[in-house]
Amino acid sequence: MKLTVRHAFATRYGCIKGFLWLVSFGITTACCCLQVSAQSPVRKKDTTQTDSTRITHLNQVDIRAAKTDLPNTSPTPVQILKGEQLQRLNSFSVADALRFFTGVQLKDYGGVGGLKTVNVRSLGANHVAVFYDGIQLGNAQNGQVDLGRFSLDNIEEIDLYNGQRSEIFQSAKSFSAASTIYLQSAKPKFEPGEHTHIRLNYKTGSMGLVNPSMLWQQKLSDKINSTVSAEYIQSNGRYKFRYTNGVYDTTAVRNNGDIEAYRIEAGLRGSTVDSAAWSVKGYSYISNRGLPGAIVANKFNYSQRQWDRDQFIQANYESNTRSRYSFKAIAKYSDNYERYLDPEFVTTTGFLDNRFYQHEFYTSIANRYRISPVWDVALSADFQLNNLDANLYRFPYPTRYTELVSFASRLKLGRLNLQASLLGTFVNDKVKEYTGAGRKTAYTPTVTAGWQVSNNGDLMLRAFYKNIFRLPTFNDLYYTLIGNTQLRPEYAKQYDVGFTYNHQFRKHVLQSLSVQADVYYNQVNDKIVAIPGLNLFRWVMYNVGDVHIKGGELNVQSGWNVADEVVVTAGLNYTYQQAFYKDGGITYRYNIPYVPMHSGSFTLGADYRRFQFNYSYIYTGLRYNELSDDTNHGYNTVAPWYTHDLSVGYFTKIYRHKTRFGIEVNNLLNQDREIISNFPMPRRFYRFKISYNI
Amino acid sequence: MVLLVASCRKAPQVIPEQVETIFSPDPSSAIKGMYLLNEGNMNMNKASLDFVDFRTGVYKRNIYNEANPSVTKGLGDVGNDIGIYGSKMYVVVNISNKVEVLDVKTAKKLAQIDITNCRYVTFHKNKAYVSAYLGKVGDPKAPNGIVAEIDTVSLQIERKVTVGRQPEEMAIVGEKLYIANSGGYSPPDYERTVSVIDLASFTELKRIDVAINLDRLKADKYGDIYVTSRGDYYTIPSKLFVIDTQTDAIKKTFDIAASNLWIDDDTAYIYSTEWSYPQQKNTISYTMLNVKDETVLSSRFITDGTDKKIVVPYGISVNPISKDVFVTDAGNYVASGTLYCFDKNGRMKWQVQAGDIPAHMAFVY
């Protein structure tokens, strides 16, 4: 049984100076962060060829206005990437795009197939809920969604809410996490006379990427349309990486990072005569991948493999939202299969070969009643069933029954927007064998307030408080030898104040400006971690200590009309965070691993006639890869990293159909970097895209 | 531009050692010092080597990288055992699939012997014996482990013998090598035997049935072997068995959940860690045995209450001259551990911050 436990921590100083300097002087000087080059006697050369090059696609682009999209009505902090803005980023998956949000730490093990999860405001990946077209993507086994599996091909919008979405008319699930990410797939919009949209994309590039995809939207009737989206992804996952300490200097090629995946989605959307909306969607994702392991001394190659099959079908009905009373109903069934094969672990029955089968059934009803034009109330009730089967020794075969009830209210008094919600969670775990975790009940509140300072609504002050918890996952509770059924839920309290400023300028070079800033304090109680019991074979999950997190975030977006036909957008994100552990033992006030004190990004886009240019810079400051204090910081330091990415797009028409070509260069300066220690990220790599709209 | 370059990333550098004086010098100490191998967590590549100089009172933390700056990624991932034989020190690095052979005086690397999933090392007549979980890599029908015989002069593997599944610690009595088979990869189908290897022919003579999931194995000077069983972590408890190597039969069973033990002269020093669900914590106990007549002693090797500070005892050794007892504390395993030194009366002499998961010790004479 191999189980690694990693923790986090923060930095005392970083190289933020460089970052600020960069921002203040613009990108002309952006390429100056030279890599450290060290000569060395020991050099292990690899034989693989360098990155090859190919093509990738971008979405159709018509918008040429220098506008920013940050909404200023949400009393909880929200960051949105959508449409054109989303497609401009040098991003392959949803995980890549989330790097451009403040407060987000992406855990990326590298390559196309490597696990990618996000940690928002240092609360841990288990406190992030991901919704796809309004319904949560669950994983009762480990509580984490691999965001690397969601390519941007079919995604129209990504929203990240701290606390919860500032909307009371939603499922109880939407109230049930510390942070929520909403992924919205492309919705068909037909112009009069149009019946069919077909978009064909092809992306290729470094690491043997082959990625054809297709989106077909069809208007079936005035009220009903259909969407089919299909995609194939293949990558050999081979990329060069380099390690050096100034004396040794080793370059090698990542092995076992290959992936082959298929995704197909099909859905119907419609509306009824009384303006109710409905949708049905089926989703299937099948993949076969190698699991590249940690690059440690004398062991660079791995042979573990994983197979996945994720499928779901979901349906949504929403009555006319303009009525005084409206309701929403949701139902979903999902089925996940995972197989893990470890040829380095030989048992009496051959290689370790674990199979996990998960089933989930979910349904929700949300009701809203408008008591007066300024006062709404909402009541939502959800039911969810999860079970897990596995071919593990001493496995209890758990089934979890979750009932969620939320009551929420919104009051709009002039420029003041007040929302309060209370979530009741009722969980019961049953097991076929051994002991289950039994029943748990919790009531958790959230209060949010927004105040429009000025009449034009440009400036809004915001604040929220949220108390929420994450339940121990099936792995935490039941994984053979590791699980501990007596775990308590891990609570997270969030306090946040901030402001949003949004202004459109007329007849100025600067056309639009939006600024969002927040400071926050989070406290995690009863953190669930693994500790070894008898020996390293026998880890046990248990609740330990508290984590205190303080931070600040700044998000600036601007649009500029620099000259005739030249439109520029520029964005800046900065996150300051510190997270400490408080367990009463010697690790009291140790830094939580993988929390940089400073991190941020800068993006610049320019449109000129048929060309589109994009530049992005992402910076993550010094982190530590373990709980540590001053004495051992030196041994636990993970070097800061920053990447410069560039892309160019060109639009034209081929046979009167919109066609787009794109080239991306990522990690332009070839920086060797790690996000997770011993999991090297790719050096410079390329993507080529072509998109053809019929 | 200069500013930016300077402020961004530091030039890569060799991980430095840290030196501190932790006790008053004792130039008369017969034993020069002690190496401490810190395991480091899996995937962290943080196995590290510390040295306590008994004569100067100096503690050197993380000495490997400065001594061997040209070794790519250093000592490696999960240091599982350390042994000194003559002028050479052998460090078994489990996930890094290697045995590092270092010069005892300088800790400089002399050679590397690649052995997949290697676990423990012991010595006899100019040979080093290393146990390893897998004999044949990538063969689903080959679950058994091996012992490799390494010549301590040529530093080459000379012979291999197949033993039980996932073999752990070894000891040599006479011309026979005893090795604990665990079978830990196939629960509940654990191994329950000690393999006996004839060193002359390097073949397995027999297997002694003991109990499931065997782990630590030490010999006393009376021809007995002490072997621990980890049990199944659920209903079958951990125990300690004594095997008489004259008869190769179990001589005595102690109902002690021994996690690890060190035998010095007539005394076995034992600690045990057991997870208690009701209390949601490990219950830890320390025991001493008289190995001459196999009885539990009433004395304790920690008497001053320091045991309450130790979160997870993870390694033990005893200075054969001064009888000082060294106990390591792995703490929460994801931060640095601690090395404690107790005098022969069980009172703490000093403590020092070690590396991650300090575990295995070897004395330098």
Side-chain angles (χ1 to χ4, degrees), chain A residues 64 71 84 95 107 165 175 189 249 266 342 351 354 362 430 438 459 467 499 546 569 578 591 593 613 624 641 659 676:
Chain A
R64 288 289 167 106
E84 171 60 8
K107 278 199 167 182
R165 183 161 65 176
F175 296 95
K189 288 182 197 84
D249 186 340
D342 186 352
F351 297 147
N354 287 329
Y362 169 72
K430 289 186 177 170
L459 178 65
N467 183 11
F499 72 87
D546 300 344
T569 54
Q578 272 193 296
N591 293 303
F613 303 91
Y624 301 102
W641 62 263
T659 307
I676 304 296

Short mmCIF file of all heavy atoms in Angstrom, two decimals, chain A residues 64 71 84 95 107 165 175 189 249 266 342 351 354 362 430 438 459 467 499 546 569 578 591 593 613 624 641 659 676:
data_model
loop_
_atom_site.label_atom_id
_atom_site.label_comp_id
_atom_site.label_asym_id
_atom_site.label_seq_id
_atom_site.Cartn_x
_atom_site.Cartn_y
_atom_site.Cartn_z
N ARG A 64 -15.25 42.53 -31.14
CA ARG A 64 -14.06 43.37 -31.23
C ARG A 64 -14.17 44.56 -30.29
O ARG A 64 -13.60 45.59 -30.52
CB ARG A 64 -13.87 43.86 -32.67
CG ARG A 64 -13.42 42.77 -33.62
CD ARG A 64 -11.98 42.39 -33.33
NE ARG A 64 -11.63 41.17 -34.02
CZ ARG A 64 -10.86 41.14 -35.09
NH1 ARG A 64 -10.38 42.22 -35.59
NH2 ARG A 64 -10.57 39.98 -35.66
N PRO A 71 -18.84 41.04 -13.52
CA PRO A 71 -20.13 41.56 -13.07
C PRO A 71 -19.94 42.26 -11.73
O PRO A 71 -19.07 41.89 -10.96
CB PRO A 71 -20.98 40.30 -12.91
CG PRO A 71 -20.01 39.23 -12.64
CD PRO A 71 -18.71 39.60 -13.29
N GLU A 84 -15.01 34.56 -25.86
CA GLU A 84 -13.78 34.98 -26.51
C GLU A 84 -12.60 35.04 -25.55
O GLU A 84 -11.51 34.55 -25.82
CB GLU A 84 -14.04 36.36 -27.13
CG GLU A 84 -12.84 37.05 -27.66
CD GLU A 84 -12.17 36.25 -28.76
OE1 GLU A 84 -12.75 35.23 -29.20
OE2 GLU A 84 -11.08 36.63 -29.16
N ALA A 95 -8.61 23.22 -16.20
CA ALA A 95 -7.60 23.44 -15.17
C ALA A 95 -6.63 24.54 -15.59
O ALA A 95 -6.28 25.41 -14.79
CB ALA A 95 -6.84 22.14 -14.89
N LYS A 107 -3.04 22.32 -8.68
CA LYS A 107 -2.11 21.22 -8.46
C LYS A 107 -2.04 20.45 -9.76
O LYS A 107 -3.02 19.86 -10.19
CB LYS A 107 -2.60 20.30 -7.34
CG LYS A 107 -2.27 20.80 -5.98
CD LYS A 107 -2.34 19.69 -4.96
CE LYS A 107 -1.70 20.14 -3.66
NZ LYS A 107 -1.70 19.10 -2.65
N ARG A 165 -22.52 30.79 -5.04
CA ARG A 165 -23.08 31.63 -6.09
C ARG A 165 -24.12 32.55 -5.46
O ARG A 165 -24.96 32.12 -4.67
CB ARG A 165 -23.70 30.77 -7.17
CG ARG A 165 -24.22 31.56 -8.34
CD ARG A 165 -24.39 30.70 -9.56
NE ARG A 165 -25.41 29.67 -9.34
CZ ARG A 165 -25.79 28.84 -10.30
NH1 ARG A 165 -25.26 28.91 -11.50
NH2 ARG A 165 -26.70 27.92 -10.06
N PHE A 175 -25.19 25.38 -2.32
CA PHE A 175 -24.86 26.06 -1.07
C PHE A 175 -23.82 25.26 -0.26
O PHE A 175 -23.44 25.66 0.82
CB PHE A 175 -26.11 26.22 -0.20
CG PHE A 175 -27.17 27.11 -0.79
CD1 PHE A 175 -28.22 26.59 -1.52
CD2 PHE A 175 -27.10 28.48 -0.62
CE1 PHE A 175 -29.20 27.41 -2.06
CE2 PHE A 175 -28.07 29.32 -1.15
CZ PHE A 175 -29.14 28.78 -1.88
N LYS A 189 -27.04 29.26 -30.28
CA LYS A 189 -27.77 30.52 -30.54
C LYS A 189 -27.90 30.64 -32.05
O LYS A 189 -26.90 30.76 -32.75
CB LYS A 189 -26.97 31.71 -30.01
CG LYS A 189 -26.95 31.80 -28.50
CD LYS A 189 -26.18 33.04 -28.04
CE LYS A 189 -25.78 32.93 -26.59
NZ LYS A 189 -24.54 32.16 -26.40
N ASP A 249 23.62 18.04 -13.74
CA ASP A 249 22.69 18.69 -14.65
C ASP A 249 22.15 17.58 -15.53
O ASP A 249 22.81 17.08 -16.42
CB ASP A 249 23.43 19.75 -15.47
CG ASP A 249 22.47 20.55 -16.32
OD1 ASP A 249 21.34 20.07 -16.57
OD2 ASP A 249 22.84 21.66 -16.75
N ALA A 266 -24.13 14.54 -25.77
CA ALA A 266 -25.26 14.87 -26.63
C ALA A 266 -26.37 15.39 -25.76
O ALA A 266 -26.62 14.87 -24.67
CB ALA A 266 -25.73 13.63 -27.39
N ASP A 342 -0.73 -1.83 -11.25
CA ASP A 342 0.64 -1.54 -10.83
C ASP A 342 1.54 -2.75 -11.05
O ASP A 342 1.59 -3.66 -10.22
CB ASP A 342 0.65 -1.12 -9.37
CG ASP A 342 2.04 -0.66 -8.92
OD1 ASP A 342 3.00 -0.81 -9.71
OD2 ASP A 342 2.15 -0.17 -7.80
N PHE A 351 -0.17 -8.86 -10.86
CA PHE A 351 0.01 -7.44 -10.58
C PHE A 351 -1.15 -6.88 -9.77
O PHE A 351 -2.29 -7.33 -9.92
CB PHE A 351 0.11 -6.65 -11.89
CG PHE A 351 1.29 -7.01 -12.75
CD1 PHE A 351 1.19 -6.95 -14.14
CD2 PHE A 351 2.49 -7.41 -12.18
CE1 PHE A 351 2.28 -7.28 -14.94
CE2 PHE A 351 3.58 -7.73 -12.97
CZ PHE A 351 3.47 -7.68 -14.36
N ASN A 354 -6.54 -2.92 -9.21
CA ASN A 354 -7.72 -2.50 -8.46
C ASN A 354 -8.80 -1.97 -9.39
O ASN A 354 -8.51 -1.25 -10.34
CB ASN A 354 -7.36 -1.42 -7.43
CG ASN A 354 -6.59 -1.98 -6.25
OD1 ASN A 354 -6.77 -3.15 -5.87
ND2 ASN A 354 -5.72 -1.18 -5.69
N TYR A 362 -28.89 11.42 -8.20
CA TYR A 362 -29.06 12.73 -7.57
C TYR A 362 -30.33 13.38 -8.08
O TYR A 362 -30.64 13.30 -9.28
CB TYR A 362 -27.86 13.62 -7.91
CG TYR A 362 -28.01 15.08 -7.56
CD1 TYR A 362 -27.98 15.49 -6.23
CD2 TYR A 362 -28.20 16.03 -8.56
CE1 TYR A 362 -28.12 16.83 -5.91
CE2 TYR A 362 -28.33 17.37 -8.24
CZ TYR A 362 -28.30 17.77 -6.92
OH TYR A 362 -28.43 19.09 -6.60
N LYS A 430 -24.19 3.65 4.99
CA LYS A 430 -24.45 2.25 5.32
C LYS A 430 -23.41 1.39 4.64
O LYS A 430 -22.96 1.71 3.54
CB LYS A 430 -25.85 1.84 4.85
CG LYS A 430 -26.95 2.47 5.68
CD LYS A 430 -28.31 1.95 5.28
CE LYS A 430 -29.37 2.55 6.20
NZ LYS A 430 -30.72 2.24 5.70
N GLY A 438 -22.10 5.84 9.82
CA GLY A 438 -23.35 6.20 10.45
C GLY A 438 -23.90 7.54 10.00
O GLY A 438 -23.62 8.01 8.90
N LEU A 459 -19.49 51.21 -8.13
CA LEU A 459 -18.71 50.72 -7.00
C LEU A 459 -19.62 49.99 -6.03
O LEU A 459 -20.68 50.48 -5.65
CB LEU A 459 -18.03 51.91 -6.29
CG LEU A 459 -17.22 51.55 -5.05
CD1 LEU A 459 -16.03 50.68 -5.40
CD2 LEU A 459 -16.76 52.82 -4.33
N ASN A 467 -20.04 29.35 6.77
CA ASN A 467 -19.57 28.21 7.54
C ASN A 467 -20.01 26.96 6.80
O ASN A 467 -21.20 26.82 6.49
CB ASN A 467 -20.19 28.24 8.95
CG ASN A 467 -19.68 27.11 9.82
OD1 ASN A 467 -18.72 26.43 9.46
ND2 ASN A 467 -20.32 26.90 10.95
N PHE A 499 -14.39 44.85 -2.51
CA PHE A 499 -15.18 45.76 -3.33
C PHE A 499 -15.04 45.40 -4.80
O PHE A 499 -14.08 44.73 -5.21
CB PHE A 499 -14.78 47.23 -3.10
CG PHE A 499 -13.44 47.59 -3.69
CD1 PHE A 499 -13.32 48.02 -5.02
CD2 PHE A 499 -12.29 47.51 -2.92
CE1 PHE A 499 -12.09 48.35 -5.56
CE2 PHE A 499 -11.06 47.83 -3.45
CZ PHE A 499 -10.95 48.26 -4.77
N ASP A 546 -5.96 22.68 13.42
CA ASP A 546 -6.65 23.70 12.66
C ASP A 546 -5.68 24.36 11.69
O ASP A 546 -4.48 24.35 11.93
CB ASP A 546 -7.17 24.79 13.59
CG ASP A 546 -8.15 24.22 14.62
OD1 ASP A 546 -8.64 23.10 14.40
OD2 ASP A 546 -8.40 24.90 15.63
N THR A 569 -6.85 44.39 -24.57
CA THR A 569 -7.37 44.09 -23.24
C THR A 569 -6.19 43.69 -22.37
O THR A 569 -5.27 43.01 -22.83
CB THR A 569 -8.39 42.93 -23.27
OG1 THR A 569 -7.78 41.80 -23.90
CG2 THR A 569 -9.65 43.29 -24.00
N GLN A 578 -1.28 33.49 3.28
CA GLN A 578 -0.45 32.85 4.29
C GLN A 578 -1.33 31.84 5.01
O GLN A 578 -2.45 32.14 5.40
CB GLN A 578 0.07 33.88 5.28
CG GLN A 578 1.37 34.50 4.83
CD GLN A 578 2.02 35.26 5.96
OE1 GLN A 578 1.47 36.24 6.43
NE2 GLN A 578 3.16 34.80 6.40
N ASN A 591 4.23 26.33 8.32
CA ASN A 591 3.57 26.71 7.08
C ASN A 591 2.85 25.52 6.46
O ASN A 591 3.37 24.43 6.44
CB ASN A 591 4.60 27.19 6.07
CG ASN A 591 5.23 28.48 6.48
OD1 ASN A 591 4.54 29.46 6.70
ND2 ASN A 591 6.53 28.47 6.62
N PRO A 593 1.92 23.38 3.36
CA PRO A 593 2.63 23.18 2.10
C PRO A 593 1.90 23.74 0.86
O PRO A 593 0.68 23.79 0.85
CB PRO A 593 2.74 21.66 1.96
CG PRO A 593 2.53 21.14 3.32
CD PRO A 593 1.66 22.12 4.04
N PHE A 613 -3.51 38.74 -30.99
CA PHE A 613 -2.27 38.39 -30.27
C PHE A 613 -2.58 38.28 -28.79
O PHE A 613 -3.34 39.08 -28.24
CB PHE A 613 -1.22 39.50 -30.47
CG PHE A 613 -0.91 39.77 -31.91
CD1 PHE A 613 -1.62 40.74 -32.62
CD2 PHE A 613 0.06 39.02 -32.58
CE1 PHE A 613 -1.36 40.97 -33.96
CE2 PHE A 613 0.33 39.26 -33.92
CZ PHE A 613 -0.38 40.23 -34.60
N TYR A 624 6.72 25.89 0.07
CA TYR A 624 7.39 24.78 0.73
C TYR A 624 6.59 23.52 0.46
O TYR A 624 5.37 23.56 0.38
CB TYR A 624 7.51 25.05 2.23
CG TYR A 624 8.27 26.32 2.52
CD1 TYR A 624 7.60 27.49 2.86
CD2 TYR A 624 9.65 26.36 2.36
CE1 TYR A 624 8.30 28.66 3.08
CE2 TYR A 624 10.34 27.53 2.58
CZ TYR A 624 9.67 28.68 2.93
OH TYR A 624 10.35 29.84 3.13
N TRP A 641 8.12 29.82 -9.85
CA TRP A 641 8.14 29.63 -11.31
C TRP A 641 7.28 30.69 -11.96
O TRP A 641 6.39 31.26 -11.35
CB TRP A 641 7.67 28.23 -11.72
CG TRP A 641 6.27 27.86 -11.35
CD1 TRP A 641 5.89 27.15 -10.25
CD2 TRP A 641 5.06 28.14 -12.08
NE1 TRP A 641 4.53 27.00 -10.25
CE2 TRP A 641 4.00 27.59 -11.34
CE3 TRP A 641 4.79 28.81 -13.27
CZ2 TRP A 641 2.67 27.68 -11.77
CZ3 TRP A 641 3.47 28.90 -13.69
CH2 TRP A 641 2.43 28.33 -12.94
N THR A 659 -12.99 30.61 -40.55
CA THR A 659 -11.90 29.71 -40.25
C THR A 659 -10.89 30.45 -39.39
O THR A 659 -10.67 31.64 -39.60
CB THR A 659 -11.20 29.26 -41.55
OG1 THR A 659 -12.21 28.75 -42.43
CG2 THR A 659 -10.16 28.18 -41.28
N ILE A 676 4.23 20.54 -8.27
CA ILE A 676 4.32 19.58 -7.18
C ILE A 676 5.75 19.03 -7.22
O ILE A 676 6.22 18.63 -8.28
CB ILE A 676 3.32 18.41 -7.39
CG1 ILE A 676 1.89 18.93 -7.54
CG2 ILE A 676 3.43 17.38 -6.26
CD1 ILE A 676 1.33 19.60 -6.34
#
